[in-house]
Amino acid sequence: MIEVKDLIFSYGKDKQALHGLNFTVGDGEIFGFLGPNGSGKSTTQKILTGILKGHSGYVSLFGQNISTAHTQDFFQKIGVLFEFPYLYENLSAIDNLKYFSSFYPANQCRDIGEILEKLEFKTDFLKKPVSSYSKGMRQRVSMARALISSPKLLFLDEPTSGLDPSGAVLFRKIIEEERKKGTTVFLTTHNMLDADLLCDRVAFITKGNIVALDTPKRLKEQNSNQRVRIAYLYQGKREEKTVEIPELERGIPFRHDEIISIHSEEPTLEDMFIQYTGRRLS
Amino acid sequence: MRKNFCSLFKKDCQIMLAGKFFFVALGSLILYTLFINFGYIHYMNAELYNVYLYDPQGTQQEVSDLIHPVASLEELDAALSADTNGVGIDASSGTPAVVLYHGSEKTDNHSADYGLSLLHQGNVHTTQIVGTNTPELKQRKEMCSELLFIEIIAVGFLGIASVLFKEKQMGVIRVHGILPFKKSLFITSKLTVFLVSDLIFAALMALFNIGFHEAAGILPDILVQTGILSLVMALTGFGCTMLLNDFRQFSLAYVVIVIFASAPIFLSANTSVKMAWIDWHPFYHVYMGLKNACFGMPVTNPVYYICSACGIVILFLIVRAAFHREMGKEG
């Protein structure tokens, strides 16, 4: 679906934002693009969506070179959720969606009412202006806008931002459903839980370079310290011990009466983010 | 493409209605119409100077009705001290002598000539009258063209900025970057809304202030000139909105543009002040085109129309580049 080779981009002469990125995204894959602020995530997404011109290197989408791909036909096949819910504040959710969907062929568009219902949008706000909506409601309308044209390739920038936990769960469920339909998802986020739960593969980008690219599981495994923490009871006392995994092959290597829990000390995706990018999540 | 344009046009009209822009334009139209019909044409009928004549022996036999006779030199002095712009004529010696408060040499000569001219009734010199406009119609046309020019360069310019800054603040311009339509349509739709609004304004302004019968013949020429000015100003407003960060910066640019666009033009076109460089000022030609259209003398020089078209195309290309830059900006 997406193929990027040696992608370089500079803002002016002295400010190189991307230093030769290489990655591919397969059909129906959810690909996480993770990195701190200013790392080049947005620049990459803008190049892929055709907003930013003037890159060098090879980029293809839908099997077509990007320099010729950004036609109306291309824009009909993509959906983009921006970092912020950009909507006409004086118009209602329905009017916003009617307006934005009017640019796509009618047979390609989903039913507005149905999609808003799926996103659990409060029906009594349907005809009220967006200026009266909460951040979560605006995010729902923005997601509806991105999905309304049944895109084959979906660019999502911080999709669960501004949502409460149940809203975040709902969005993840919807993204999963889209993938099941065959939609490819390019996900840009700081939310490591979203990336861990949703992404087939993730790339860590920092200072315009991809420093790691693999499945979240393998990235964690590769950086695991091969230890487990065991909580147990012995002679009525609760104790904890950290054990190297190879030691476990011969059984629990200490005296105990009862094992309470065994936790691997595998790093989280957030630990990986900090390790690869050298930056903490804010 | 037509469907996309209709969607954009409908949305732009909705934003304009929500922004109460039409009320501002309507308010301006009412204000200008009241000013021309109940103010301007009456002020302009006022006499240039009051002329006071002291002629105890009655030596001046054919004086104009505009002369105010006085009975004594003291009364003449009192009249002039109360009306320092007035002109006094002392004919007590049999030969008229002008008495006035000193202003400038040119004004004093003008006042004296005017005062002395009123000592004779009727026309001493034969004057050839050019055109068929009555003085009132001339004043109406003059003021109509001036106010129309001000309205379009000021209010129209501000109008497009107010609409676009809203869209810029809402971030929706960025969304248009990924929608499947030709991005030039976004600019064209805005231009169309403001062009239509300016043309309607110009038509109503001409009909209400020049008169239905008189305006009917010159309206097409007025609309052509209004169209040129409207497109230039809408594109300039569009470009400034894309390049400047907020409405405060825009307001400053607006003041500069309005001052530099209108002040030298009005001075050169309507007073004896002539600036050598005014021929290089593009708005001067557009203003003169509009004024001449109001007087039924449309510009026929093709160079003017070629230059206008080239200017509009160049502005459009600049605006399109600025618009693409805005779509690619960070949130």
Side-chain angles (χ1 to χ4, degrees):
Chain A
M1 178 62 76
I2 302 175
E3 191 180 354
V4 174
K5 276 184 195 162
D6 303 322
L7 175 62
I8 294 170
F9 185 83
S10 298
Y11 291 100
K13 280 183 184 171
D14 307 322
K15 203 179 163 193
Q16 190 169 344
L18 303 177
H19 301 265
L21 302 188
N22 290 287
F23 63 90
T24 56
V25 181
D27 287 356
E29 184 180 1
I30 301 181
F31 185 81
F33 208 57
L34 320 176
N37 295 331
S39 57
K41 297 189 304 285
S42 298
T43 304
T44 309
Q45 185 169 318
K46 280 177 190 169
I47 292 168
L48 295 178
T49 52
I51 294 173
L52 218 51
K53 312 264 185 215
H55 65 276
S56 60
Y58 175 78
V59 182
S60 87
L61 284 104
F62 302 105
Q64 200 181 344
N65 192 318
I66 203 171
S67 50
T68 54
H70 291 135
T71 58
Q72 288 196 49
D73 182 48
F74 166 79
F75 288 117
Q76 281 175 6
K77 287 191 278 192
I78 67 162
V80 182
L81 176 74
F82 291 90
E83 188 181 358
F84 300 103
Y86 298 138
L87 298 162
Y88 281 99
E89 302 217 340
N90 55 319
L91 303 182
S92 66
I94 290 194
D95 287 340
N96 263 287
L97 293 174
K98 270 185 188 166
Y99 169 66
F100 288 118
S101 63
S102 68
F103 294 98
Y104 299 91
N107 59 0
Q108 188 186 321
C109 292
R110 297 185 194 179
D111 181 70
I112 292 172
E114 204 175 284
I115 203 161
L116 284 174
E117 193 185 331
K118 199 171 186 182
L119 285 157
E120 295 178 4
F121 186 83
K122 290 176 191 167
T123 47
D124 46 339
F125 277 83
L126 279 173
K127 289 183 178 172
K128 287 184 182 169
V130 168
S131 54
S132 63
Y133 295 178
S134 67
K135 201 179 171 192
M137 285 167 71
R138 287 171 191 230
Q139 189 72 351
R140 282 171 164 81
V141 182
S142 290
M143 187 63 157
R145 184 190 53 68
L147 297 174
I148 196 98
S149 59
S150 319
K152 290 187 172 69
L153 173 58
L154 196 53
F155 291 91
L156 302 176
D157 195 350
E158 302 293 353
T160 56
S161 161
L163 296 172
D164 57 24
S166 66
V169 170
L170 174 72
F171 266 46
R172 284 198 285 266
K173 191 178 137 214
I174 287 169
I175 295 166
E176 273 291 355
E177 282 175 13
E178 286 303 309
R179 186 252 291 276
K180 279 178 193 159
K181 285 184 203 163
T183 309
T184 307
V185 180
F186 189 88
L187 175 71
T188 311
T189 186
H190 282 132
N191 188 322
M192 293 301 126
L193 183 64
D194 283 350
D196 208 356
L197 293 174
L198 287 169
C199 295
D200 298 313
R201 288 186 305 144
V202 295
F204 287 110
I205 179 171
T206 182
K207 293 174 186 167
N209 292 295
I210 290 179
V211 287
L213 196 165
D214 213 328
T215 63
K217 191 173 164 53
R218 269 208 292 270
L219 280 172
K220 287 186 281 188
E221 279 172 2
Q222 282 162 10
N223 292 279
S224 168
N225 55 14
Q226 300 281 299
R227 287 182 194 151
V228 289
R229 176 167 286 274
I230 302 171
Y232 61 96
L233 283 175
Y234 182 59
Q235 294 179 341
K237 261 176 79 180
R238 188 186 186 282
E239 303 214 7
E240 273 191 17
K241 259 192 181 149
T242 302
V243 178
E244 301 283 334
I245 289 173
E247 284 182 64
L248 286 175
E249 286 172 7
R250 295 185 297 273
I252 305 287
F254 51 80
R255 290 185 175 184
H256 61 278
D257 296 329
E258 189 186 333
I259 299 290
I260 299 169
S261 66
I262 302 176
H263 287 289
S264 74
E265 289 208 328
E266 190 179 70
T268 62
L269 204 58
E270 186 168 340
D271 294 330
M272 293 295 89
F273 182 93
I274 295 162
Q275 183 185 318
Y276 284 116
T277 66
R279 302 259 288 273
R280 288 194 169 274
L281 289 164
S282 52
Chain B
M1 189 142 120
R2 203 175 68 184
K3 182 178 158 251
N4 292 343
F5 181 78
C6 289
S7 295
L8 287 160
F9 187 75
K10 187 180 157 200
K11 178 263 306 170
D12 284 334
C13 289
Q14 277 178 315
I15 295 181
M16 270 182 78
L17 283 170
K20 317 227 173 6
F21 176 79
F22 285 119
F23 291 110
V24 176
L26 185 67
S28 302
L29 182 68
I30 293 169
L31 194 69
Y32 296 156
T33 304
L34 290 175
F35 171 68
I36 291 174
N37 286 284
F38 299 104
Y40 184 71
I41 56 170
H42 295 297
Y43 305 145
M44 295 308 282
N45 277 337
E47 291 161 26
L48 273 174
Y49 312 102
N50 291 315
V51 180
Y52 306 96
L53 174 65
Y54 174 56
D55 184 15
Q57 295 165 33
T59 57
Q60 307 302 313
Q61 297 297 315
E62 296 179 337
V63 297
S64 159
D65 297 339
L66 296 169
I67 289 253
H68 302 283
V70 292
S72 64
L73 276 175
E74 289 74 25
E75 199 181 327
L76 181 65
D77 285 345
L80 289 175
S81 60
D83 177 11
T84 51
N85 289 323
V87 181
I89 299 172
D90 178 6
S92 55
S93 64
T95 309
V98 175
V99 186
L100 46 74
Y101 279 93
H102 179 59
S104 70
E105 193 184 340
K106 282 180 184 170
T107 321
D108 293 349
N109 289 340
H110 185 261
S111 309
D113 287 345
Y114 174 68
L116 292 171
S117 74
L118 295 187
L119 295 178
H120 310 280
Q121 273 195 340
N123 289 328
V124 177
H125 308 290
T126 310
T127 311
Q128 188 191 348
I129 306 293
V130 179
T132 55
N133 294 310
T134 61
E136 185 187 320
L137 193 57
K138 185 174 163 284
Q139 285 158 15
R140 283 177 177 278
K141 286 180 174 180
E142 240 171 34
M143 190 41 64
C144 185
S145 63
E146 281 170 24
L147 292 177
L148 191 53
F149 183 76
I150 290 173
E151 172 70 19
I152 295 168
I153 64 164
V155 181
F157 182 59
L158 267 184
I160 197 161
S162 69
V163 169
L164 268 170
F165 267 114
K166 258 187 210 148
E167 288 191 283
K168 206 173 156 178
Q169 280 158 8
M170 291 187 281
V172 286
I173 286 178
R174 277 159 220 156
V175 181
H176 288 86
I178 52 97
L179 292 177
F181 73 98
K182 287 199 166 161
K183 307 303 176 250
S184 301
L185 283 181
F186 185 90
I187 305 167
T188 315
S189 159
K190 290 266 182 304
L191 294 183
T192 309
V193 172
F194 282 89
L195 179 65
V196 169
S197 136
D198 284 342
L199 291 178
I200 293 171
F201 186 91
L204 293 176
M205 188 82 180
L207 293 172
F208 292 161
N209 296 297
I210 297 175
F212 287 82
H213 179 68
E214 185 68 26
I218 54 173
L219 199 54
D221 298 327
I222 294 177
L223 294 183
V224 168
Q225 301 306 322
T226 304
I228 292 171
L229 187 60
S230 172
L231 287 173
V232 169
M233 289 318 297
L235 282 165
T236 311
F238 200 122
C240 287
T241 313
M242 291 296 111
L243 296 171
L244 300 172
N245 289 332
D246 51 36
F247 203 73
R248 204 179 299 169
Q249 281 187 6
F250 181 86
S251 306
L252 192 66
Y254 163 76
V255 171
V256 172
I257 287 171
V258 169
I259 288 173
F260 281 98
S262 58
I265 291 169
F266 287 138
L267 279 173
S268 291
N270 301 323
T271 69
S272 58
V273 177
K274 293 292 168 209
M275 289 166 230
W277 52 268
I278 200 71
D279 279 341
W280 296 100
H281 196 315
F283 284 13
Y284 175 72
H285 299 282
V286 183
Y287 172 68
M288 290 311 291
L290 185 60
K291 192 172 177 180
N292 288 331
C294 285
F295 281 89
M297 295 180 290
V299 183
T300 51
N301 187 351
V303 175
Y304 167 78
Y305 293 103
I306 291 167
C307 289
S308 300
C310 290
I312 289 167
V313 170
I314 291 166
L315 276 171
F316 188 90
L317 294 175
I318 295 169
V319 162
R320 199 176 61 171
F323 178 60
H324 278 279
R325 181 174 161 266
E326 179 61 31
M327 283 191 298
K329 270 189 182 173
E330 290 288 342

